[in-house]
Amino acid sequence: MAGDKGQRRMTQCKMMTEKLNVYYGKRHALKDVDIRIRSHAVTALIGPSGCGKSTFLKTLNRMNDLVGNVRIEGQVYLDGEDIYSTRMDVTRLRKRVGMVFQQPNPFPMTIYDNIAYGPRIHGIKGKEQLDGIVERSLRQAAIWEEVREGLYKSALGLSGGQKQRLCIARALAVEPEVLLMDEPTSALDPVSTLKVEELMTAFKQKYTIVIVTHNMQQAARISDDTVFFLEGELVESDTTARLFSHPADRRTRAYINGRFG
């Protein structure tokens, strides 16, 4: 009976963690983090620099596997399945849980090949099918009209905002279920930031989105839920409306009001 109850609890959200601890050598970067991430919602991770936000984000698709001297304890579930289980196929996991980084990082190849790269890795080779994926992904990322005449030009020639939307399109090309975004607008101008924010708002109809942001106004504008981290601990997690208007913890209130961080 208890097992059934636990399984029901896990299926009420897209991802969740239980007693998650992350160590970089002797440094305890995340401490007993329990969190539930709702399906088809935008969850914002906030907190001062070095508090564990990006470390937490990277545990959700095992990007920390690529970091030396890291140790992870506890559980991270995707649709009720522990992603750190030995049975988990990490390549398949990263297809289901995509990531967009702070600095736009197009591959040094054409715009077309940037988008087709992931589908090709996963076995899609036909030109007609790849053409459809490339167009669909670029349209979803609201950049198709800007690049359609130059698909075979280098992606490195795009502007900063275009590069970031290209990277979003590249992540969408493999049809993920969850999209992780690590400060995706911090290097962008206000117009490009607005375009990316509009995409995130639209995307939650199809994807579950988790975003790290230092911008309190951005978190308030685009997120449904907000999680506040401090010194590796999850201090408070609630709907964005409640957390910003009636924070339960004085440390959350101080951070939101700009008194530290």
Side-chain angles (χ1 to χ4, degrees):
M1 190 73 173
D4 291 343
K5 183 178 180 182
Q7 186 64 31
R8 285 198 304 271
R9 186 176 71 247
M10 284 188 282
T11 55
Q12 289 171 357
C13 54
K14 187 64 179 177
M15 299 195 77
M16 65 180 284
T17 68
E18 290 185 339
K19 298 296 182 185
L20 176 64
N21 288 269
V22 177
Y23 300 85
Y24 294 120
K26 293 182 178 180
R27 184 168 74 87
H28 197 174
L30 286 179
K31 306 167 185 174
D32 288 331
V33 174
D34 291 344
I35 188 172
R36 282 147 182 75
I37 297 169
R38 289 195 289 154
S39 297
H40 300 293
V42 178
T43 298
L45 310 179
I46 64 171
S49 296
C51 68
K53 305 183 300 296
S54 292
T55 293
F56 175 78
L57 196 74
K58 291 172 184 175
T59 65
L60 299 181
N61 72 344
R62 293 185 54 171
M63 287 296 291
N64 281 320
D65 286 10
L66 307 175
V67 179
N69 205 27
V70 65
R71 186 170 91 256
I72 296 172
E73 299 174 351
Q75 286 74 45
V76 181
Y77 296 102
L78 172 63
D79 289 334
E81 183 179 5
D82 187 355
I83 70 171
Y84 284 90
S85 163
T86 56
R87 297 186 302 276
M88 175 58 65
D89 181 331
V90 178
T91 300
R92 178 172 166 269
L93 169 68
R94 292 184 185 142
K95 180 180 184 295
R96 296 177 67 192
V97 185
M99 191 157 191
V100 176
F101 296 92
Q102 180 176 0
Q103 293 292 334
N105 60 340
F107 301 144
M109 54 182 67
T110 67
I111 292 168
Y112 183 100
D113 287 334
N114 263 269
I115 307 303
Y117 183 85
R120 283 171 174 152
I121 284 178
H122 292 286
I124 297 174
K125 304 297 183 184
K127 186 177 186 306
E128 185 175 347
Q129 190 174 4
L130 287 171
D131 287 350
I133 291 170
V134 168
E135 179 174 348
R136 185 200 72 231
S137 303
L138 291 170
R139 284 188 182 278
Q140 280 186 295
I143 193 176
W144 170 252
E145 296 300 332
E146 297 169 45
V147 302
R148 61 184 299 178
E149 300 300 328
L151 291 178
Y152 296 99
K153 294 181 179 178
S154 172
L156 302 182
L158 297 173
S159 70
Q162 288 174 325
K163 287 178 180 176
Q164 191 62 298
R165 281 181 286 144
L166 177 75
C167 292
I168 292 170
R170 189 175 66 197
L172 298 180
V174 296
E175 299 188 314
E177 300 163 36
V178 180
L179 193 58
L180 310 177
M181 310 183 85
D182 193 356
E183 296 191 64
T185 64
S186 65
L188 303 184
D189 62 83
V191 173
S192 297
T193 294
L194 179 60
K195 288 181 179 179
V196 172
E197 288 184 359
E198 288 173 346
L199 289 177
M200 285 187 276
T201 300
F203 284 167
K204 69 181 179 182
Q205 303 301 320
K206 187 173 181 179
Y207 310 104
T208 299
I209 298 173
V210 186
I211 177 174
V212 168
T213 181
H214 279 288
N215 187 322
M216 294 299 97
Q217 291 76 25
Q218 181 176 74
R221 280 194 302 268
I222 67 168
S223 68
D224 302 288
D225 301 320
T226 297
V227 182
F228 174 51
F229 283 91
L230 185 63
E231 297 180 348
E233 296 182 9
L234 191 163
V235 173
E236 187 168 352
S237 176
D238 208 334
T239 65
T240 298
R242 278 198 296 265
L243 188 137
F244 275 84
S245 61
H246 297 95
D249 192 287
R250 59 178 177 77
R251 295 169 293 176
T252 311
R253 188 178 304 109
Y255 183 73
I256 290 172
N257 292 331
R259 292 202 290 272
F260 72 89

